[in-house]
Amino acid sequence: MKAKLFAFIMTIISPALTAHADSIPMPHQIEFSSGLVKYPKEASQETLERYIPGLTCQNFMGDVLCIGETNAFSNMFIRGAKCSSAGEITFTLKGNKTVGALCGLEKASASELFEKYTRKYGEPRSTNDNINGMIVAHKEWVVGGELHTIIHYGGIDINGAALDKYSINIIRVADDKNLD
């Protein structure tokens, strides 16, 4: 009798467990993007929220942005860069799939990444914007169908204080059919 009851319960529970397992992969099943700095490619919002405590997600101009503190959990989801503990990590989702990530960097980490990217992918495309005394310098490389950008914020901030911050931003710019 117990065996039949157990078998009956498993026929009810098993599909639910399987469906749940399909929607939220185990950590070792999460696929990461290519390039020197990687993010969890196509991870769902539910996957990010499960593995990164305190992550906050909200709609922003048709996309979803998920923002969290830089800590041991969130740092496992941006590989190849040492994200600054003084900043936040941001993931961009389109259609409930992660398509990019952004995090702050220390100056030494930004310089090291710049050298690695330049050695591997050549000279970057460089742009500078001056916004009321703040200078935003972008160094960009296209890696497959993704844009990898090291950003330096210099000059002065809105309060007139000196500004010297860095970040790395990776965003998919081509759909999967066009990726190398």
Side-chain angles (χ1 to χ4, degrees):
M1 179 69 174
K2 286 183 182 178
K4 287 184 180 181
L5 181 59
F6 179 76
F8 174 72
I9 290 172
M10 288 311 291
T11 60
I12 295 170
I13 294 174
S14 184
L17 291 175
T18 304
H20 184 68
D22 289 343
S23 65
I24 300 179
M26 296 299 291
H28 67 280
Q29 296 172 316
I30 296 171
E31 180 183 346
F32 281 78
S33 64
S34 60
L36 294 173
V37 178
K38 304 168 183 348
Y39 63 90
K41 182 180 178 182
E42 298 192 356
S44 68
Q45 180 176 333
E46 294 79 15
T47 299
L48 295 175
E49 288 173 332
R50 168 177 269 177
Y51 295 116
I52 305 173
L55 194 68
T56 303
C57 300
Q58 61 186 37
N59 289 321
F60 180 76
M61 297 176 64
D63 296 333
V64 173
L65 295 180
C66 295
I67 301 170
E69 292 180 23
T70 302
N71 56 40
F73 292 108
S74 61
N75 242 341
M76 290 188 296
F77 286 87
I78 297 184
R79 297 182 177 173
K82 184 178 183 217
C83 298
S84 171
S85 60
E88 296 175 322
I89 288 182
T90 302
F91 298 96
T92 304
L93 290 88
K94 291 182 185 286
N96 199 32
K97 293 181 179 180
T98 306
V99 295
L102 170 107
C103 77
L105 300 170
E106 299 296 330
K107 184 175 184 173
S109 294
S111 294
E112 184 180 319
L113 276 175
F114 175 80
E115 290 175 20
K116 286 179 179 179
Y117 271 101
T118 301
R119 273 195 310 270
K120 186 162 184 169
Y121 302 112
E123 289 296 318
R125 186 183 107 180
S126 298
T127 59
N128 292 313
D129 296 314
N130 190 332
I131 307 165
N132 297 326
M134 180 174 69
I135 300 166
V136 182
H138 295 85
K139 306 293 185 193
E140 302 175 336
W141 296 265
V142 175
V143 179
E146 297 171 342
L147 183 64
H148 291 234
T149 308
I150 296 174
I151 306 164
H152 176 243
Y153 305 90
I156 57 172
D157 68 13
I158 196 165
N159 299 315
L163 190 59
D164 189 23
K165 294 187 177 187
Y166 295 84
S167 65
I168 179 82
N169 185 26
I170 306 107
I171 191 78
R172 188 173 68 202
V173 291
D175 62 25
D176 288 342
K177 290 178 243 167
N178 297 326
L179 295 179
D180 295 337

